[in-house]
Amino acid sequence: MKGVPGHLAVIMDGNGRWAAKRARPRWMGHARGAQTARELVAHCARLGVQHLTLYAFSSDNWKRPREEVGFLMDLFASHLDRQLAELRANGIRLSIVGRRDRLPPALVAKMEEAEARTAQCTRMHLRVAIDYSSKAALQEAFARVQAEGREWPADPLLPNVDLLLRTGGERRLSDFLLWECAYAELAFIDALFPDLTTADVDAVFADFARRDRRFGGLNSAPVPVGSA
Ligand code: IPE
Ligand code: IPE
Ligand code: MG
């Protein structure tokens, strides 16, 4: 669909502040955020987004208190359980990106099952980044390429990002898709992730549709002859 990014990447930030504003524990913000993520996935599939990548847990998020990390790991596992049927019904392929060796083995087993059971789905490819660090992914790829004596590939590790959206008001990448965002349009909005609505997404897409992406070339609008 015109104006809809082929690859949307989302830094789902602001869950903790959403909870704090309501004098609630942080985990409640994460639980609400997971519901929002589910609605976001359905909305993007409806609009014709081909690739959607969601930042759910960064490798730096291990620095958080053990209880919060434990809650998030349990939340990922329960959402995988609950959403597998919905993903399959909507033709959504799920992949998890990031390191797996530090995750609870029961979670890894569920991730692998969900990946296998959605592998044939072609409507949209959803990637969820868990224990993800873009720097670490690049370092690992570099070490592999060097060990195998291959050329460094021209394409990034994941598809190029067309639009990167970060909720929660911060204007930084926090180690997400550094190479893939080489020519990404950036959208930073103040809404805390649990408050993100489909109307917010539509507004961000409308703004994206008006941008002139030049990729280092010239403006797509014709230049008047003889202009200096
Ligand atoms: C994003 O929300 C979710 C994760 C990083 C897991 P935060 O938990 O970072 O929420 P804030 O930024 O503290 O509000
Ligand atoms: C980025 O948010 C990671 C996720 C949304 C999963 P953070 O809240 O961890 O990022 P910083 O610490 O504000 O940069
Ligand atoms: Mg945050």
Side-chain angles (χ1 to χ4, degrees), residues 13-15 17 26 64 166 170:
D13 197 23
N15 294 348
R17 279 164 285 165
R26 290 179 58 86
R64 295 188 179 197
R166 181 171 187 144
E170 313 291 357

Side-chain angles (χ1 to χ4, degrees), residues 18-215:
W18 183 93
K21 254 172 64 179
R22 290 162 179 76
R24 294 281 198 272
R26 290 179 58 86
W27 67 261
M28 281 195 190
H30 295 313
R32 277 299 283 264
Q35 279 181 39
T36 304
R38 181 177 168 202
E39 287 155 20
L40 174 65
V41 168
H43 193 57
C44 287
R46 267 197 305 273
L47 293 178
V49 171
Q50 291 294 302
H51 295 271
L52 172 64
T53 305
L54 303 179
Y55 205 5
F57 189 87
S58 79
S59 295
D60 287 319
N61 289 148
W62 292 113
K63 295 173 191 163
R64 295 188 179 197
R66 216 158 56 97
E67 298 70 35
E68 180 168 347
V69 170
F71 180 84
L72 284 165
M73 295 299 147
D74 290 348
L75 186 67
F76 299 147
S78 65
H79 266 258
L80 278 174
D81 272 346
R82 270 184 278 155
Q83 271 163 57
L84 182 54
E86 194 171 311
L87 290 174
R88 281 162 58 89
N90 287 321
I92 299 170
R93 175 177 174 194
L94 175 72
S95 302
I96 310 289
V97 294
R99 276 180 71 165
R100 298 188 181 199
D101 57 309
R102 300 187 287 197
L103 301 177
L107 172 60
V108 175
K110 285 182 199 293
M111 284 166 21
E112 286 171 354
E113 189 199 342
E115 287 177 330
R117 296 192 59 202
T118 60
Q120 310 304 323
C121 298
T122 56
R123 184 167 168 220
M124 183 173 86
H125 194 161
L126 168 66
R127 293 177 179 84
V128 179
I130 300 177
D131 196 0
Y132 175 84
S133 153
S134 187
K135 280 190 295 181
L138 287 168
Q139 282 164 342
E140 197 204 303
F142 185 72
R144 209 170 344 124
V145 161
Q146 225 182 11
E148 293 168 9
R150 284 187 287 121
E151 292 275 305
W152 183 251
D155 291 328
L157 305 174
L158 296 177
N160 279 303
V161 172
D162 295 299
L163 175 63
L164 176 105
L165 167 64
R166 181 171 187 144
T167 60
E170 313 291 357
R171 286 160 167 73
R172 55 176 171 257
L173 295 180
S174 301
D175 202 5
F176 191 43
L177 301 174
L178 302 180
W179 186 7
E180 291 80 357
C181 283
Y183 271 103
E185 295 295 324
L186 307 177
F188 299 104
I189 65 171
D190 289 334
L192 302 172
F193 187 71
D195 288 329
L196 183 77
T197 63
T198 55
D200 292 329
V201 176
D202 293 347
V204 168
F205 283 9
D207 178 59
F208 170 76
R210 286 191 292 271
R211 298 197 191 182
D212 186 16
R213 303 184 73 196
R214 292 188 288 280
F215 300 97

